[in-house]
Amino acid sequence: MKTLCGIDEAGRGPIAGDLVVAGCVFLPDTNIAGLNDSKKISEKKREKLYQEIKPNTLNYIVVISPQNVDEFGISICMTKALLEIKEHLNADIYLFDGNTTFGVDGLDTMVKADGKVAEVSAASILAKVTHDRNIIRDAKLYPEYGFEKHKGYGTKLHVAMIKEFGYCPIHRRSFKLKALQETLF
């Protein structure tokens, strides 16, 4: 039987916080109930599944700082993370959620794989929980931004806080928002 490594990311779209990419290979006879796209599962259920996924899989999580995202760009960061996962997890098939390989050879893609393939769902949950834990940690350092509410996405509240307080160290300055163009630049 061929070994499948599911891969997904969390934090590609936010204007603050880490980019997290996770790879996941199930151990033999692993069957985890309730797996799905991490965005379709409540935070409480994601946390519970995370605790079940970790000991029942071979997994590798790459965390990329906002500074590295700014310095190298999302595409290069994604490429590096995908190569790192392939280097650390041995599998016959590497399946990444989405429609691009970011130039990585030997990587298959599938749109919405995070809701269709258990290993990709598990990777989605590992990435999302890691991303959210990190941004909640950062929310304690920068409470004025409300990161625990919007997880770094460019919501109205977040944009208003940036207008009032400026950027903090976990903001991705390379991500330009029209709502901020006139006030900060």
Side-chain angles (χ1 to χ4, degrees), residues 81-101:
L82 292 167
L83 289 169
E84 196 172 325
I85 287 168
K86 283 189 70 183
E87 182 182 313
H88 284 86
L89 293 176
N90 190 23
D92 298 308
I93 301 166
Y94 295 89
L95 180 63
F96 180 52
D97 179 56
N99 62 2
T100 181
T101 64

PDB file of all heavy atoms in Angstrom, residues 81-101:
ATOM      1  N   ALA A  81       8.935  25.592   2.545  1.00  0.00           N
ATOM      2  CA  ALA A  81       8.208  24.769   3.518  1.00  0.00           C
ATOM      3  C   ALA A  81       7.839  23.412   2.923  1.00  0.00           C
ATOM      4  O   ALA A  81       7.996  22.372   3.584  1.00  0.00           O
ATOM      5  CB  ALA A  81       6.953  25.502   3.982  1.00  0.00           C
ATOM      6  N   LEU A  82       7.375  23.403   1.686  1.00  0.00           N
ATOM      7  CA  LEU A  82       7.010  22.142   1.032  1.00  0.00           C
ATOM      8  C   LEU A  82       8.226  21.238   0.863  1.00  0.00           C
ATOM      9  O   LEU A  82       8.148  20.020   1.114  1.00  0.00           O
ATOM     10  CB  LEU A  82       6.349  22.424  -0.317  1.00  0.00           C
ATOM     11  CG  LEU A  82       4.974  23.102  -0.233  1.00  0.00           C
ATOM     12  CD1 LEU A  82       4.550  23.630  -1.602  1.00  0.00           C
ATOM     13  CD2 LEU A  82       3.927  22.159   0.337  1.00  0.00           C
ATOM     14  N   LEU A  83       9.356  21.806   0.471  1.00  0.00           N
ATOM     15  CA  LEU A  83      10.590  21.019   0.336  1.00  0.00           C
ATOM     16  C   LEU A  83      11.042  20.477   1.687  1.00  0.00           C
ATOM     17  O   LEU A  83      11.486  19.326   1.790  1.00  0.00           O
ATOM     18  CB  LEU A  83      11.699  21.868  -0.294  1.00  0.00           C
ATOM     19  CG  LEU A  83      11.517  22.191  -1.779  1.00  0.00           C
ATOM     20  CD1 LEU A  83      12.532  23.246  -2.223  1.00  0.00           C
ATOM     21  CD2 LEU A  83      11.628  20.933  -2.636  1.00  0.00           C
ATOM     22  N   GLU A  84      10.903  21.274   2.733  1.00  0.00           N
ATOM     23  CA  GLU A  84      11.292  20.841   4.077  1.00  0.00           C
ATOM     24  C   GLU A  84      10.425  19.672   4.546  1.00  0.00           C
ATOM     25  O   GLU A  84      10.929  18.705   5.131  1.00  0.00           O
ATOM     26  CB  GLU A  84      11.191  22.037   5.040  1.00  0.00           C
ATOM     27  CG  GLU A  84      11.896  21.830   6.335  1.00  0.00           C
ATOM     28  CD  GLU A  84      11.945  23.092   7.188  1.00  0.00           C
ATOM     29  OE1 GLU A  84      12.064  24.212   6.641  1.00  0.00           O
ATOM     30  OE2 GLU A  84      11.862  22.943   8.428  1.00  0.00           O
ATOM     31  N   ILE A  85       9.133  19.758   4.269  1.00  0.00           N
ATOM     32  CA  ILE A  85       8.231  18.660   4.645  1.00  0.00           C
ATOM     33  C   ILE A  85       8.614  17.392   3.887  1.00  0.00           C
ATOM     34  O   ILE A  85       8.700  16.310   4.475  1.00  0.00           O
ATOM     35  CB  ILE A  85       6.762  19.056   4.397  1.00  0.00           C
ATOM     36  CG1 ILE A  85       6.325  20.071   5.472  1.00  0.00           C
ATOM     37  CG2 ILE A  85       5.844  17.831   4.405  1.00  0.00           C
ATOM     38  CD1 ILE A  85       5.015  20.751   5.203  1.00  0.00           C
ATOM     39  N   LYS A  86       8.865  17.511   2.589  1.00  0.00           N
ATOM     40  CA  LYS A  86       9.263  16.338   1.800  1.00  0.00           C
ATOM     41  C   LYS A  86      10.572  15.744   2.319  1.00  0.00           C
ATOM     42  O   LYS A  86      10.757  14.531   2.291  1.00  0.00           O
ATOM     43  CB  LYS A  86       9.400  16.712   0.316  1.00  0.00           C
ATOM     44  CG  LYS A  86       8.058  16.842  -0.392  1.00  0.00           C
ATOM     45  CD  LYS A  86       8.234  17.003  -1.887  1.00  0.00           C
ATOM     46  CE  LYS A  86       8.723  15.708  -2.488  1.00  0.00           C
ATOM     47  NZ  LYS A  86       9.001  15.771  -3.910  1.00  0.00           N
ATOM     48  N   GLU A  87      11.456  16.591   2.803  1.00  0.00           N
ATOM     49  CA  GLU A  87      12.738  16.128   3.340  1.00  0.00           C
ATOM     50  C   GLU A  87      12.565  15.371   4.660  1.00  0.00           C
ATOM     51  O   GLU A  87      13.287  14.433   4.953  1.00  0.00           O
ATOM     52  CB  GLU A  87      13.646  17.355   3.550  1.00  0.00           C
ATOM     53  CG  GLU A  87      15.022  17.037   4.061  1.00  0.00           C
ATOM     54  CD  GLU A  87      15.836  18.314   4.281  1.00  0.00           C
ATOM     55  OE1 GLU A  87      15.847  19.174   3.379  1.00  0.00           O
ATOM     56  OE2 GLU A  87      16.431  18.441   5.371  1.00  0.00           O
ATOM     57  N   HIS A  88      11.585  15.771   5.459  1.00  0.00           N
ATOM     58  CA  HIS A  88      11.416  15.193   6.799  1.00  0.00           C
ATOM     59  C   HIS A  88      10.379  14.067   6.888  1.00  0.00           C
ATOM     60  O   HIS A  88      10.391  13.313   7.861  1.00  0.00           O
ATOM     61  CB  HIS A  88      11.053  16.296   7.796  1.00  0.00           C
ATOM     62  CG  HIS A  88      12.224  17.127   8.177  1.00  0.00           C
ATOM     63  ND1 HIS A  88      12.630  18.214   7.440  1.00  0.00           N
ATOM     64  CD2 HIS A  88      13.102  17.020   9.196  1.00  0.00           C
ATOM     65  CE1 HIS A  88      13.702  18.744   7.993  1.00  0.00           C
ATOM     66  NE2 HIS A  88      14.010  18.032   9.066  1.00  0.00           N
ATOM     67  N   LEU A  89       9.482  13.977   5.919  1.00  0.00           N
ATOM     68  CA  LEU A  89       8.461  12.928   5.953  1.00  0.00           C
ATOM     69  C   LEU A  89       8.591  12.065   4.703  1.00  0.00           C
ATOM     70  O   LEU A  89       8.477  12.569   3.582  1.00  0.00           O
ATOM     71  CB  LEU A  89       7.051  13.537   6.032  1.00  0.00           C
ATOM     72  CG  LEU A  89       6.703  14.277   7.319  1.00  0.00           C
ATOM     73  CD1 LEU A  89       5.323  14.910   7.203  1.00  0.00           C
ATOM     74  CD2 LEU A  89       6.770  13.353   8.533  1.00  0.00           C
ATOM     75  N   ASN A  90       8.801  10.783   4.907  1.00  0.00           N
ATOM     76  CA  ASN A  90       8.957   9.855   3.790  1.00  0.00           C
ATOM     77  C   ASN A  90       7.585   9.327   3.380  1.00  0.00           C
ATOM     78  O   ASN A  90       6.857   8.781   4.209  1.00  0.00           O
ATOM     79  CB  ASN A  90       9.884   8.718   4.201  1.00  0.00           C
ATOM     80  CG  ASN A  90      10.284   7.861   3.037  1.00  0.00           C
ATOM     81  OD1 ASN A  90      10.253   8.302   1.895  1.00  0.00           O
ATOM     82  ND2 ASN A  90      10.660   6.633   3.322  1.00  0.00           N
ATOM     83  N   ALA A  91       7.241   9.497   2.097  1.00  0.00           N
ATOM     84  CA  ALA A  91       5.962   9.006   1.584  1.00  0.00           C
ATOM     85  C   ALA A  91       6.099   8.680   0.106  1.00  0.00           C
ATOM     86  O   ALA A  91       7.031   9.149  -0.560  1.00  0.00           O
ATOM     87  CB  ALA A  91       4.871  10.058   1.803  1.00  0.00           C
ATOM     88  N   ASP A  92       5.155   7.897  -0.385  1.00  0.00           N
ATOM     89  CA  ASP A  92       5.116   7.590  -1.818  1.00  0.00           C
ATOM     90  C   ASP A  92       4.422   8.713  -2.583  1.00  0.00           C
ATOM     91  O   ASP A  92       4.756   9.005  -3.724  1.00  0.00           O
ATOM     92  CB  ASP A  92       4.370   6.270  -2.055  1.00  0.00           C
ATOM     93  CG  ASP A  92       5.066   5.095  -1.389  1.00  0.00           C
ATOM     94  OD1 ASP A  92       6.285   4.931  -1.613  1.00  0.00           O
ATOM     95  OD2 ASP A  92       4.396   4.360  -0.632  1.00  0.00           O
ATOM     96  N   ILE A  93       3.431   9.307  -1.935  1.00  0.00           N
ATOM     97  CA  ILE A  93       2.634  10.375  -2.559  1.00  0.00           C
ATOM     98  C   ILE A  93       2.585  11.554  -1.592  1.00  0.00           C
ATOM     99  O   ILE A  93       2.322  11.394  -0.397  1.00  0.00           O
ATOM    100  CB  ILE A  93       1.196   9.894  -2.846  1.00  0.00           C
ATOM    101  CG1 ILE A  93       1.210   8.682  -3.772  1.00  0.00           C
ATOM    102  CG2 ILE A  93       0.344  11.021  -3.439  1.00  0.00           C
ATOM    103  CD1 ILE A  93      -0.114   7.940  -3.827  1.00  0.00           C
ATOM    104  N   TYR A  94       2.829  12.753  -2.130  1.00  0.00           N
ATOM    105  CA  TYR A  94       2.689  13.994  -1.368  1.00  0.00           C
ATOM    106  C   TYR A  94       1.540  14.765  -1.998  1.00  0.00           C
ATOM    107  O   TYR A  94       1.611  15.130  -3.174  1.00  0.00           O
ATOM    108  CB  TYR A  94       3.978  14.823  -1.422  1.00  0.00           C
ATOM    109  CG  TYR A  94       5.145  14.137  -0.752  1.00  0.00           C
ATOM    110  CD1 TYR A  94       5.973  13.282  -1.470  1.00  0.00           C
ATOM    111  CD2 TYR A  94       5.405  14.332   0.601  1.00  0.00           C
ATOM    112  CE1 TYR A  94       7.041  12.643  -0.864  1.00  0.00           C
ATOM    113  CE2 TYR A  94       6.473  13.690   1.217  1.00  0.00           C
ATOM    114  CZ  TYR A  94       7.279  12.845   0.478  1.00  0.00           C
ATOM    115  OH  TYR A  94       8.327  12.211   1.080  1.00  0.00           O
ATOM    116  N   LEU A  95       0.469  14.992  -1.222  1.00  0.00           N
ATOM    117  CA  LEU A  95      -0.724  15.662  -1.736  1.00  0.00           C
ATOM    118  C   LEU A  95      -0.933  16.966  -1.000  1.00  0.00           C
ATOM    119  O   LEU A  95      -1.130  16.984   0.220  1.00  0.00           O
ATOM    120  CB  LEU A  95      -1.955  14.760  -1.586  1.00  0.00           C
ATOM    121  CG  LEU A  95      -3.274  15.347  -2.097  1.00  0.00           C
ATOM    122  CD1 LEU A  95      -3.212  15.598  -3.610  1.00  0.00           C
ATOM    123  CD2 LEU A  95      -4.433  14.413  -1.752  1.00  0.00           C
ATOM    124  N   PHE A  96      -0.903  18.059  -1.758  1.00  0.00           N
ATOM    125  CA  PHE A  96      -1.041  19.406  -1.200  1.00  0.00           C
ATOM    126  C   PHE A  96      -2.402  19.965  -1.572  1.00  0.00           C
ATOM    127  O   PHE A  96      -2.833  19.882  -2.726  1.00  0.00           O
ATOM    128  CB  PHE A  96       0.084  20.293  -1.754  1.00  0.00           C
ATOM    129  CG  PHE A  96       0.062  21.710  -1.272  1.00  0.00           C
ATOM    130  CD1 PHE A  96      -0.008  22.017   0.070  1.00  0.00           C
ATOM    131  CD2 PHE A  96       0.134  22.758  -2.178  1.00  0.00           C
ATOM    132  CE1 PHE A  96      -0.011  23.330   0.523  1.00  0.00           C
ATOM    133  CE2 PHE A  96       0.137  24.075  -1.747  1.00  0.00           C
ATOM    134  CZ  PHE A  96       0.062  24.359  -0.398  1.00  0.00           C
ATOM    135  N   ASP A  97      -3.065  20.559  -0.591  1.00  0.00           N
ATOM    136  CA  ASP A  97      -4.359  21.181  -0.820  1.00  0.00           C
ATOM    137  C   ASP A  97      -4.192  22.431  -1.680  1.00  0.00           C
ATOM    138  O   ASP A  97      -3.421  23.321  -1.329  1.00  0.00           O
ATOM    139  CB  ASP A  97      -5.008  21.561   0.523  1.00  0.00           C
ATOM    140  CG  ASP A  97      -6.351  22.222   0.323  1.00  0.00           C
ATOM    141  OD1 ASP A  97      -7.215  21.619  -0.322  1.00  0.00           O
ATOM    142  OD2 ASP A  97      -6.532  23.364   0.799  1.00  0.00           O
ATOM    143  N   GLY A  98      -4.901  22.492  -2.792  1.00  0.00           N
ATOM    144  CA  GLY A  98      -4.841  23.663  -3.658  1.00  0.00           C
ATOM    145  C   GLY A  98      -4.590  23.265  -5.094  1.00  0.00           C
ATOM    146  O   GLY A  98      -4.791  22.114  -5.483  1.00  0.00           O
ATOM    147  N   ASN A  99      -4.119  24.229  -5.885  1.00  0.00           N
ATOM    148  CA  ASN A  99      -3.938  23.971  -7.310  1.00  0.00           C
ATOM    149  C   ASN A  99      -2.546  24.330  -7.826  1.00  0.00           C
ATOM    150  O   ASN A  99      -2.336  24.419  -9.025  1.00  0.00           O
ATOM    151  CB  ASN A  99      -5.005  24.709  -8.123  1.00  0.00           C
ATOM    152  CG  ASN A  99      -4.909  26.209  -7.962  1.00  0.00           C
ATOM    153  OD1 ASN A  99      -4.034  26.724  -7.277  1.00  0.00           O
ATOM    154  ND2 ASN A  99      -5.823  26.926  -8.584  1.00  0.00           N
ATOM    155  N   THR A 100      -1.594  24.553  -6.913  1.00  0.00           N
ATOM    156  CA  THR A 100      -0.238  24.867  -7.355  1.00  0.00           C
ATOM    157  C   THR A 100       0.785  24.105  -6.517  1.00  0.00           C
ATOM    158  O   THR A 100       0.580  23.907  -5.318  1.00  0.00           O
ATOM    159  CB  THR A 100       0.058  26.380  -7.301  1.00  0.00           C
ATOM    160  OG1 THR A 100       1.389  26.603  -7.761  1.00  0.00           O
ATOM    161  CG2 THR A 100      -0.084  26.948  -5.913  1.00  0.00           C
ATOM    162  N   THR A 101       1.858  23.710  -7.164  1.00  0.00           N
ATOM    163  CA  THR A 101       2.926  22.983  -6.475  1.00  0.00           C
ATOM    164  C   THR A 101       4.032  23.918  -5.992  1.00  0.00           C
ATOM    165  O   THR A 101       4.977  23.470  -5.355  1.00  0.00           O
ATOM    166  CB  THR A 101       3.576  21.945  -7.407  1.00  0.00           C
ATOM    167  OG1 THR A 101       4.208  22.638  -8.493  1.00  0.00           O
ATOM    168  CG2 THR A 101       2.571  20.945  -7.922  1.00  0.00           C
TER     169      THR A 101
END
